[in-house]
mmCIF file of all heavy atoms in Angstrom:
data_model
loop_
_atom_site.group_PDB
_atom_site.id
_atom_site.type_symbol
_atom_site.label_atom_id
_atom_site.label_comp_id
_atom_site.label_asym_id
_atom_site.label_seq_id
_atom_site.Cartn_x
_atom_site.Cartn_y
_atom_site.Cartn_z
ATOM 1 N N THR Q 70 -0.090 -2.169 19.109
ATOM 2 C CA THR Q 70 1.319 -2.045 18.728
ATOM 3 C C THR Q 70 1.803 -0.605 18.784
ATOM 4 O O THR Q 70 2.914 -0.337 19.232
ATOM 5 C CB THR Q 70 1.542 -2.641 17.328
ATOM 6 O OG1 THR Q 70 1.097 -4.002 17.334
ATOM 7 C CG2 THR Q 70 2.999 -2.586 16.923
ATOM 8 N N VAL Q 71 0.988 0.343 18.345
ATOM 9 C CA VAL Q 71 1.443 1.737 18.368
ATOM 10 C C VAL Q 71 1.357 2.353 19.758
ATOM 11 O O VAL Q 71 2.111 3.274 20.073
ATOM 12 C CB VAL Q 71 0.683 2.624 17.343
ATOM 13 C CG1 VAL Q 71 0.886 2.112 15.937
ATOM 14 C CG2 VAL Q 71 -0.781 2.767 17.666
ATOM 15 N N SER Q 72 0.449 1.831 20.595
ATOM 16 C CA SER Q 72 0.273 2.425 21.924
ATOM 17 C C SER Q 72 1.056 1.714 23.016
ATOM 18 O O SER Q 72 1.307 2.281 24.083
ATOM 19 C CB SER Q 72 -1.213 2.415 22.306
ATOM 20 O OG SER Q 72 -1.664 1.088 22.544
ATOM 21 N N GLY Q 73 1.398 0.434 22.780
ATOM 22 C CA GLY Q 73 2.066 -0.355 23.811
ATOM 23 C C GLY Q 73 1.111 -0.947 24.826
ATOM 24 O O GLY Q 73 1.545 -1.549 25.813
ATOM 25 N N LEU Q 74 -0.191 -0.832 24.595
ATOM 26 C CA LEU Q 74 -1.200 -1.314 25.539
ATOM 27 C C LEU Q 74 -1.623 -2.744 25.213
ATOM 28 O O LEU Q 74 -1.693 -3.133 24.044
ATOM 29 C CB LEU Q 74 -2.418 -0.391 25.512
ATOM 30 C CG LEU Q 74 -2.138 1.076 25.851
ATOM 31 C CD1 LEU Q 74 -3.377 1.927 25.612
ATOM 32 C CD2 LEU Q 74 -1.660 1.199 27.294
ATOM 33 N N ALA Q 75 -1.963 -3.511 26.242
ATOM 34 C CA ALA Q 75 -2.391 -4.906 26.084
ATOM 35 C C ALA Q 75 -3.889 -4.945 25.778
ATOM 36 O O ALA Q 75 -4.686 -5.432 26.574
ATOM 37 C CB ALA Q 75 -2.063 -5.706 27.329
ATOM 38 N N LEU Q 76 -4.272 -4.476 24.608
ATOM 39 C CA LEU Q 76 -5.690 -4.366 24.274
ATOM 40 C C LEU Q 76 -6.363 -5.716 24.055
ATOM 41 O O LEU Q 76 -7.579 -5.833 24.194
ATOM 42 C CB LEU Q 76 -5.867 -3.491 23.034
ATOM 43 C CG LEU Q 76 -5.296 -2.073 23.131
ATOM 44 C CD1 LEU Q 76 -5.519 -1.320 21.835
ATOM 45 C CD2 LEU Q 76 -5.908 -1.334 24.316
ATOM 46 N N LEU Q 77 -5.597 -6.729 23.705
ATOM 47 C CA LEU Q 77 -6.146 -8.073 23.487
ATOM 48 C C LEU Q 77 -5.642 -9.059 24.540
ATOM 49 O O LEU Q 77 -5.655 -10.260 24.338
ATOM 50 C CB LEU Q 77 -5.774 -8.563 22.079
ATOM 51 C CG LEU Q 77 -6.395 -7.761 20.944
ATOM 52 C CD1 LEU Q 77 -5.779 -8.142 19.612
ATOM 53 C CD2 LEU Q 77 -7.906 -7.972 20.918
ATOM 54 N N GLY Q 78 -5.185 -8.522 25.676
ATOM 55 C CA GLY Q 78 -4.706 -9.369 26.755
ATOM 56 C C GLY Q 78 -3.228 -9.694 26.686
ATOM 57 O O GLY Q 78 -2.683 -10.317 27.588
ATOM 58 N N VAL Q 79 -2.563 -9.288 25.600
ATOM 59 C CA VAL Q 79 -1.126 -9.519 25.449
ATOM 60 C C VAL Q 79 -0.480 -8.194 25.087
ATOM 61 O O VAL Q 79 -0.860 -7.563 24.099
ATOM 62 C CB VAL Q 79 -0.838 -10.548 24.327
ATOM 63 C CG1 VAL Q 79 0.655 -10.744 24.144
ATOM 64 C CG2 VAL Q 79 -1.525 -11.866 24.610
ATOM 65 N N ALA Q 80 0.483 -7.774 25.885
ATOM 66 C CA ALA Q 80 1.179 -6.526 25.577
ATOM 67 C C ALA Q 80 2.148 -6.757 24.427
ATOM 68 O O ALA Q 80 2.799 -7.805 24.361
ATOM 69 C CB ALA Q 80 1.935 -6.021 26.799
ATOM 70 N N PRO Q 81 2.256 -5.798 23.520
ATOM 71 C CA PRO Q 81 3.254 -5.947 22.453
ATOM 72 C C PRO Q 81 4.655 -5.938 23.057
ATOM 73 O O PRO Q 81 4.895 -5.311 24.085
ATOM 74 C CB PRO Q 81 3.019 -4.725 21.561
ATOM 75 C CG PRO Q 81 2.273 -3.755 22.407
ATOM 76 C CD PRO Q 81 1.527 -4.536 23.434
ATOM 77 N N SER Q 82 5.569 -6.650 22.401
ATOM 78 C CA SER Q 82 6.937 -6.707 22.918
ATOM 79 C C SER Q 82 7.706 -5.434 22.608
ATOM 80 O O SER Q 82 8.773 -5.211 23.160
ATOM 81 C CB SER Q 82 7.668 -7.919 22.352
ATOM 82 O OG SER Q 82 7.699 -7.836 20.942
ATOM 83 N N GLU Q 83 7.167 -4.627 21.702
ATOM 84 C CA GLU Q 83 7.781 -3.342 21.383
ATOM 85 C C GLU Q 83 6.693 -2.405 20.860
ATOM 86 O O GLU Q 83 5.671 -2.842 20.361
ATOM 87 C CB GLU Q 83 8.880 -3.505 20.340
ATOM 88 C CG GLU Q 83 8.394 -4.095 19.029
ATOM 89 C CD GLU Q 83 9.519 -4.337 18.036
ATOM 90 O OE1 GLU Q 83 10.219 -5.351 18.177
ATOM 91 O OE2 GLU Q 83 9.669 -3.503 17.130
ATOM 92 N N ILE Q 84 6.944 -1.134 21.001
ATOM 93 C CA ILE Q 84 6.059 -0.129 20.421
ATOM 94 C C ILE Q 84 6.639 0.234 19.061
ATOM 95 O O ILE Q 84 7.840 0.417 18.919
ATOM 96 C CB ILE Q 84 5.978 1.119 21.323
ATOM 97 C CG1 ILE Q 84 5.316 0.752 22.653
ATOM 98 C CG2 ILE Q 84 5.215 2.240 20.628
ATOM 99 C CD1 ILE Q 84 5.345 1.868 23.680
ATOM 100 N N GLY Q 85 5.778 0.280 18.081
ATOM 101 C CA GLY Q 85 6.271 0.578 16.745
ATOM 102 C C GLY Q 85 5.211 1.229 15.877
ATOM 103 O O GLY Q 85 4.059 1.366 16.265
ATOM 104 N N ARG Q 86 5.644 1.621 14.703
ATOM 105 C CA ARG Q 86 4.740 2.215 13.730
ATOM 106 C C ARG Q 86 4.050 1.105 12.938
ATOM 107 O O ARG Q 86 4.664 0.077 12.648
ATOM 108 C CB ARG Q 86 5.500 3.130 12.789
ATOM 109 C CG ARG Q 86 6.072 4.332 13.506
ATOM 110 C CD ARG Q 86 6.909 5.146 12.581
ATOM 111 N NE ARG Q 86 7.397 6.313 13.281
ATOM 112 C CZ ARG Q 86 7.742 7.427 12.679
ATOM 113 N NH1 ARG Q 86 7.687 7.526 11.369
ATOM 114 N NH2 ARG Q 86 8.164 8.437 13.387
#
Side-chain angles (χ1 to χ4, degrees):
T70 303
V71 300
S72 69
L74 302 172
L76 303 179
L77 295 169
V79 178
S82 59
E83 60 184 80
I84 295 173
R86 294 175 178 205

